[in-house]
Amino acid sequence: MALMEESTTQGLLQAHDEFWHLSLSYIKSIALTAALGLGIPDAIHHHGGGATLPEILAKTELHPCKLRALRRLMRVLTVTGTFSVVQQPPAGDDDSTVADASDEAVYRLTATSRFLVSDEVSSATLAPYMRLVLLPIIFSPVGEHICAWFRQEHHEPSVFALEFGQQAATVWEEGADANAILNEGLAAQSRFLVPDMLRECGEAVFRGIDSLVDVGGGHGGAATAIAAAFPHVKCSVLDLPHVVAGAPSDSNVQLVAGDMFQSIPPATAVFLKNVLHDWGDDECVKILKSCMQAISPRDAGGKVIVMDVVLGLGHDDKSNIKRLETQVMFDLFVMMGNNGVERDEQEWKKIFIDAGFKDYKIIPIAGTHSVIEVYP
Ligand code: SAH
């Protein structure tokens, strides 16, 4: 506590980002393993040193359904410096290290990845050395399965399921120990992040709301913090029966067992933190349609409040390359676990519109997450 008091909020958030970034650093090695295993440096090299995503997909003989996953893999590899990417035609933007979602973008080898071309003349290739360095990953099930996952012509099973026989979410749900680790871990993160979010934009977001359901709210960490800051808001949590059954009994918010795909209890607004990133676009649209049924009309304060990553956003320092690295590495992390997705603004917009919402507003907050208000 003394340590907390000594540090500024900004300093604590930076420390949070720093350890999240550090703990995801193994994703860089996994991404490199996938690049080598799929032959991406060779594919770009044999395409004249520059190739678009569809060209890399064709050269590496991956199924077209893997285009989006390949884009996400390439995003990690460009943000972290293995490849560079430029828009075609050039957009006049000098920041060529940040991957663009467009399939017109051309990926090139950098000085670093030129060493990864396997048939580079004479002794210039470092690919065999890189394989040696990546050996622990290559011989781990992840190294084997990420390439197998890219080569299969469908998304299911996920990389995690190829390795363990079931989705990460199922392991979290069905294993009592794993479930406790998940719920306690997420509650700890909510205890840290939610009060900060409330200080930054709580008044604007929660003022005028009478009731709120935290959908997929776990053990109620976020809802408890919201109820403490805004006592007039009647807060409840909807989660799966086994999660609700394991929640601490001292919670001052109402816990409801249910299924967000079936029905969400009516409330002025729905809060969704770190939920939609676990699901593909079709499932997100279903969840958001359920939310639409539950919330009040817009003129009565009705909205969905999403707290999640918006790739590329974070208000305090947009050039924070570590934050962007963390966001895109976490994107690959959720892809490998459950076929989940961390979305950029356009990807968020698409699922909101597809679910029938009219409008949205993104509020970047300090750190890696953003708040998005979505209006019916
Ligand atoms: N919002 C919390 C937990 C996020 S993890 C936080 O940010 O800390 C995703 C949550 O969604 C888990 O608690 C999981 O049990 C819940 N969940 C998954 N499927 C669900 C469903 N069909 N209905 C309700 N909750 C569900």
Side-chain angles (χ1 to χ4, degrees):
M1 196 59 205
L3 180 69
M4 294 273 226
E5 280 160 7
E6 278 165 25
S7 310
T8 61
T9 306
Q10 194 57 29
L12 288 171
L13 274 165
Q14 270 170 13
H16 171 270
D17 283 1
E18 180 69 19
F19 92 76
W20 195 10
H21 183 89
L22 282 174
S23 53
L24 280 174
S25 291
Y26 70 96
I27 292 282
K28 295 185 193 180
S29 306
I30 291 176
L32 216 44
T33 303
L36 267 181
L38 298 173
I40 295 173
D42 286 350
I44 296 176
H45 177 67
H46 291 137
H47 209 275
T52 63
L53 271 180
E55 289 162 353
I56 297 171
L57 189 98
K59 278 264 179 206
T60 51
E61 298 179 356
L62 299 181
H63 189 271
C65 79
K66 285 299 185 321
L67 189 72
R68 188 179 184 187
L70 184 65
R71 184 185 300 132
R72 293 157 70 189
L73 174 67
M74 293 303 286
R75 185 164 56 189
V76 169
L77 290 162
T78 50
V79 167
T80 58
T82 297
F83 300 112
S84 67
V85 61
V86 278
Q87 270 293 11
Q88 278 303 65
D93 184 341
D94 58 6
D95 188 1
S96 60
T97 60
V98 179
D100 192 283
S102 162
D103 295 345
E104 300 301 311
V106 174
Y107 294 86
R108 294 192 182 281
L109 299 173
T110 60
T112 317
S113 49
R114 217 157 282 133
F115 284 119
L116 300 181
V117 175
S118 63
D119 59 1
E120 194 76 332
V121 192
S122 71
S123 58
T125 181
L126 283 177
Y129 176 70
M130 192 55 70
R131 278 192 197 94
L132 174 68
V133 175
L134 292 171
L135 212 53
I137 288 190
I138 288 169
F139 279 120
S140 80
V142 171
E144 182 189 325
H145 287 138
I146 188 155
C147 291
W149 181 84
F150 266 102
R151 289 197 177 107
Q152 71 189 14
E153 294 181 12
H154 35 79
H155 295 308
E156 300 294 346
S158 65
V159 177
F160 191 93
L162 279 175
E163 192 171 331
F164 297 107
Q166 48 191 352
Q167 296 275 67
T170 313
V171 173
W172 293 122
E173 270 169 34
E174 293 178 358
D177 288 348
N179 201 246
I181 292 172
L182 175 73
N183 291 318
E184 284 161 22
L186 288 170
Q189 196 207 33
S190 283
R191 279 196 297 276
F192 179 81
L193 283 182
V194 173
D196 190 70
M197 176 274 285
L198 290 171
R199 270 192 299 277
E200 280 201 55
C201 62
E203 269 301 314
V205 173
F206 296 95
R207 187 193 333 113
I209 291 178
D210 297 325
S211 57
L212 179 90
V213 195
D214 182 2
V215 171
H219 282 183
T224 303
I226 295 167
F230 297 95
H232 68 279
V233 182
K234 186 173 168 291
C235 289
S236 53
V237 171
L238 175 80
D239 211 301
L240 295 168
H242 68 275
V243 175
V244 168
S249 52
D250 59 352
S251 172
N252 64 351
V253 296
Q254 192 196 359
L255 297 164
V256 182
D259 179 351
M260 62 191 171
F261 288 99
Q262 301 301 323
S263 145
I264 294 173
T268 316
V270 160
F271 185 67
L272 284 166
K273 173 176 166 285
N274 283 353
V275 171
L276 296 176
H277 75 171
D278 281 340
W279 300 94
D281 293 354
D282 293 347
E283 288 96 350
C284 283
V285 169
K286 282 186 197 145
I287 297 166
L288 287 164
K289 282 183 173 168
S290 267
C291 294
M292 181 81 97
Q293 300 287 318
I295 59 174
S296 303
R298 182 169 183 174
D299 57 8
K303 58 185 163 185
V304 174
I305 303 157
V306 176
M307 186 174 172
D308 229 319
V309 167
V310 177
L311 281 175
L313 278 197
H315 87 145
D316 51 347
D317 179 7
K318 286 201 169 63
S319 63
N320 187 331
I321 188 67
K322 271 208 170 157
R323 170 174 313 130
L324 185 58
E325 275 189 31
T326 309
Q327 291 178 338
V328 301
M329 287 191 291
F330 203 66
D331 174 53
L332 228 50
F333 177 87
V334 296
M335 182 179 93
M336 292 194 308
N338 298 324
N339 288 320
V341 189
E342 298 293 355
R343 295 174 168 87
D344 63 22
E345 180 173 350
Q346 290 312 312
E347 291 169 316
W348 279 115
K349 183 176 176 181
K350 180 170 187 323
I351 58 171
F352 298 150
I353 301 291
D354 287 354
F357 285 83
K358 299 260 182 328
D359 199 4
Y360 68 93
K361 179 172 141 195
I362 298 180
I363 308 169
I365 52 174
T368 314
H369 283 66
S370 290
V371 170
I372 316 175
E373 290 190 318
V374 195
Y375 310 112

